[in-house]
Amino acid sequence: MARTPSIDILLATYNGARFLPELLSSLDSQAGVDFRVLVRDDGSTDGTPAILDQWAARHPDRVRILPTDVPTRSAAGNFGRLMQACDADYVLFADQDDIWRPNKVARTLAALQAAEEEAGGRSRPALVFCDLALVDADGCPLHASFRTFQGMDVAAGLRLERLLLNNLVTGCAMGVNRAALSACGPLPDKVVMHDWWLALICAGLGTIRAMPDCLIDYRQHGGNVVGAKRSDPLDTLPRLARLSAIIDNISAYRDWLLTLGGQAEQLGNRFGDRLSPSHRAAVAALAGLRRQGPLARRLTALRHGFRLGTLLQTLAFYARM
């Protein structure tokens, strides 16, 4: 008889007492599959630890709270500690302020197993991620689809050369298999976010799939670490038409390029021998942009197909790089 796969949900918290009870209630309502929740708080000063303790006391066999020890002071660092403590076959990631639909865990597990089968087995890193509905701080609907709201081209955006510059994978929407988590290892210092790093690994070494399902109410309340930003050409065009829009923030753009180049360099250092020749070349090209002049940077970016989510965003990117 086949062993039932184990599932861990990783929950990273910090000063989330206002919204956390609704998330925990939605985890309690998950149907059709067994799972464990690993929780780590990063040094909250509000009522978050008490809420977690009470919840864990009600579910002693399902919930494990990791000690805070030294706060990491970042969502990526907090999730990184949880990832190192996890030993399950499949892993999902929860943010403290969202609300999960009752079938999120079961649908994510099914999608992961289908992705593994298509990719040739569980030995290859696999990642799947669902769509999200946007709601306000009170849970009232704002938009039915995060992907539509942001103008995402998911099919093109999941290619590695696109993911190197622009992450389409929202951490709370994703699930990964054990092969992906094992390949990830400890998060490198230059990683921007844990979800981005896992997406790069799976796009380069395994498989990554966008689920059509909308399985989360993604709360927008002004304090989101990332959050949703509308893609609006009518807003972008006037700013592109002004010279100041091209020269403003050039320094910030180039700092961001350095950050992305550092992340790409880490990917190449750790997995270069496992990447395809075209992927290896794209990773090396982005990592090397900081050593090139303005014209050479643009030519390199064009040659490797580097672009952002929309044409207008890409034009602004090339103008400022």
Side-chain angles (χ1 to χ4, degrees), residues 4-113:
T4 301
S6 57
I7 305 168
D8 276 350
I9 298 173
L10 309 186
L11 170 58
T13 64
Y14 178 72
N15 285 348
R18 178 182 176 190
F19 302 121
L20 182 58
E22 282 188 273
L23 170 73
L24 301 184
S25 178
S26 72
L27 295 182
D28 287 341
S29 299
Q30 293 300 303
V33 65
D34 291 326
F35 57 87
R36 178 181 67 165
V37 183
L38 296 184
V39 189
R40 184 182 179 279
D41 186 72
D42 208 43
S44 292
T45 56
D46 65 356
T48 297
I51 293 171
L52 292 173
D53 287 341
Q54 293 167 9
W55 187 57
R58 294 197 300 271
H59 305 284
D61 297 328
R62 173 175 276 187
V63 180
R64 174 188 168 199
I65 299 179
L66 274 60
T68 299
D69 49 51
V70 178
T72 67
R73 304 189 187 283
S74 73
N78 201 1
F79 275 113
R81 298 282 180 87
L82 285 162
M83 289 160 63
Q84 288 300 295
C86 169
D87 58 7
D89 298 318
Y90 300 99
V91 182
L92 286 72
F93 299 77
D95 291 341
Q96 63 190 11
D97 43 9
D98 299 325
I99 304 169
W100 288 22
R101 306 283 173 85
N103 58 349
K104 180 178 188 299
V105 178
R107 295 292 285 272
T108 302
L109 174 63
L112 274 169
Q113 291 175 325

Side-chain angles (χ1 to χ4, degrees), residues 73-265:
R73 304 189 187 283
S74 73
N78 201 1
F79 275 113
R81 298 282 180 87
L82 285 162
M83 289 160 63
Q84 288 300 295
C86 169
D87 58 7
D89 298 318
Y90 300 99
V91 182
L92 286 72
F93 299 77
D95 291 341
Q96 63 190 11
D97 43 9
D98 299 325
I99 304 169
W100 288 22
R101 306 283 173 85
N103 58 349
K104 180 178 188 299
V105 178
R107 295 292 285 272
T108 302
L109 174 63
L112 274 169
Q113 291 175 325
E116 288 177 330
E117 185 173 349
E118 292 172 10
R122 297 173 62 178
S123 62
R124 295 193 66 194
L127 182 153
V128 301
F129 65 107
C130 66
D131 200 358
L132 313 93
L134 302 181
V135 300
D136 65 14
D138 298 318
C140 298
L142 295 174
H143 200 285
S145 169
F146 173 67
R147 292 172 186 166
T148 303
F149 182 82
Q150 298 230 137
M152 290 182 178
D153 182 354
V154 175
L158 294 182
R159 297 199 297 264
L160 183 65
E161 65 271 15
R162 296 280 290 271
L163 275 172
L164 286 167
L165 282 178
N166 185 42
N167 181 31
L168 271 64
V169 178
T170 306
C172 62
M174 74 179 181
V176 300
N177 66 355
R178 169 48 49 185
L181 210 64
S182 296
C184 176
L187 291 177
D189 292 338
K190 293 185 179 180
V191 164
V192 179
M193 283 293 283
H194 63 290
D195 50 12
W196 200 339
W197 183 243
L198 282 164
L200 291 171
I201 289 171
C202 292
L205 307 181
T207 185
I208 179 169
R209 297 283 185 270
M211 303 164 60
D213 316 68
C214 184
L215 301 176
I216 294 181
D217 289 341
Y218 187 32
R219 200 190 303 266
Q220 305 298 295
H221 52 75
N224 303 77
V225 174
V226 179
K229 300 174 181 63
R230 180 184 290 276
S231 176
D232 188 352
L234 296 179
D235 176 60
T236 305
L237 277 170
R239 290 187 285 110
L240 281 176
R242 299 196 310 269
L243 178 61
S244 61
I246 296 177
I247 62 176
D248 283 354
N249 298 323
I250 286 179
S251 176
Y253 257 69
R254 291 180 179 167
D255 287 346
W256 183 235
L257 264 183
L258 289 175
T259 299
L260 298 188
Q263 182 168 257
E265 187 172 49

